[in-house]
């Protein structure tokens, strides 16, 4: 999923991929010219042409960027969440935001009842869900007794009477 960056035109051009023009994702470096690309972009490029898009050097000469400075800068870029509209999320924390804090993300009931809904409604749902389960756990034995009783009464009335 593409990120929605805040102030995208103010992002340093050094942090952008020269293929997609977006801030780098899993950046790789060309060993001959030093240009940086997203790993995904270069992989797509290499299926058509086995050379660097900028220096035209033949072959796969791309190495993952391991410089903490670059990676940290990329992780600190601010992105916006389309679901909850929060806009001060660091890119490096975005996956965490989606998987554990975004209030508008659709989640499953943690008790696996099949309910799906926004995370902000989960707590309330789980409370109701547990009450319902507790209720039916307590009511079912009582209901079963009543049903058995009714069945016996019915059987009694329907049975051919041994008349005197
Ligand atoms: Zn790219
Ligand atoms: Zn190159
Ligand atoms: Zn969100
Ligand atoms: Zn539930």
């Amino acid at each position: 999923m593409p990120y929605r960056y805040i102030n995208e035109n103010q992002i340093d051009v050094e942090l952008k991929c020269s293929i997609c023009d977006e801030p780098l994702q899993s950046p790789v470096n060309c060993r001959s010219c030093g240009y940086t690309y997203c790993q995904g972009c270069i992989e797509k490029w290499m299926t058509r042409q086995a050379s660097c898009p900028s220096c035209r050097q033949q072959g796969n000469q791309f190495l993952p960027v391991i410089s903490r400075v670059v990676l940290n800068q990329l992780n600190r870029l601010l992105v916006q969440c389309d679901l909850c509209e929060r806009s001060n999320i660091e890119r490096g924390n975005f996956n965490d935001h989606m998987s554990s804090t975004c209030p508008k993300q659709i989640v499953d009931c943690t008790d696996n009842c099949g309910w799906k809904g926004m995370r902000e409604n989960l707590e309330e749902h789980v409370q109701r869900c547990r009450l319902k389960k507790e209720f039916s756990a307590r009511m079912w034995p009582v209901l079963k007794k009543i049903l058995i009783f009714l069945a016996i009464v019915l059987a009694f009335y329907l049975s051919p009477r041994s008349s005197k």
Side-chain angles (χ1 to χ4, degrees), residues 67-112:
S67 153
R68 299 301 311 160
V69 182
V70 177
L71 297 178
N72 286 342
Q73 264 180 299
L74 287 167
N75 280 337
R76 279 198 294 264
L77 291 176
L78 295 180
V79 296
Q80 174 166 351
C81 172
D82 282 337
L83 297 177
C84 70
E85 310 264 288
R86 235 186 88 179
S87 61
N88 55 347
I89 308 165
E90 291 189 356
R91 198 179 89 170
N93 296 332
F94 189 73
N95 284 346
D96 272 356
H97 171 78
M98 291 314 273
S99 66
S100 56
T101 55
C102 179
K104 303 289 184 192
Q105 174 76 316
I106 303 298
V107 292
D108 292 321
C109 170
T110 41
D111 279 7
N112 296 316

Side-chain angles (χ1 to χ4, degrees), residues 17 20 38 41:
C17 165
C20 67
C38 312
C41 288

Side-chain angles (χ1 to χ4, degrees), residues 122-145:
L122 178 65
E123 201 181 330
E124 196 196 324
H125 164 79
V126 168
Q127 272 174 10
R128 245 188 296 147
C129 194
R130 291 203 178 138
L131 274 179
K132 212 158 77 184
K133 257 188 217 157
E134 240 171 72
F135 180 77
S136 55
R138 233 181 298 154
M139 283 312 287
W140 185 232
V142 177
L143 211 67
K144 220 155 61 180
K145 270 182 211 156

Side-chain angles (χ1 to χ4, degrees), residues 3 5 15-17 20 22-30 35-43 62-67 70-71 74-75 77 91 95:
Y3 295 107
Y5 295 95
L15 294 178
K16 290 187 178 175
C17 165
C20 67
E22 290 275 312
L24 294 154
Q25 290 195 49
S26 314
V28 294
N29 221 335
C30 170
Y35 266 65
T36 332
Y37 310 97
C38 312
Q39 191 179 352
C41 288
I42 209 70
E43 275 169 8
F62 303 99
L63 291 175
V65 172
I66 51 168
S67 153
V70 177
L71 297 178
L74 287 167
N75 280 337
L77 291 176
R91 198 179 89 170
N95 284 346

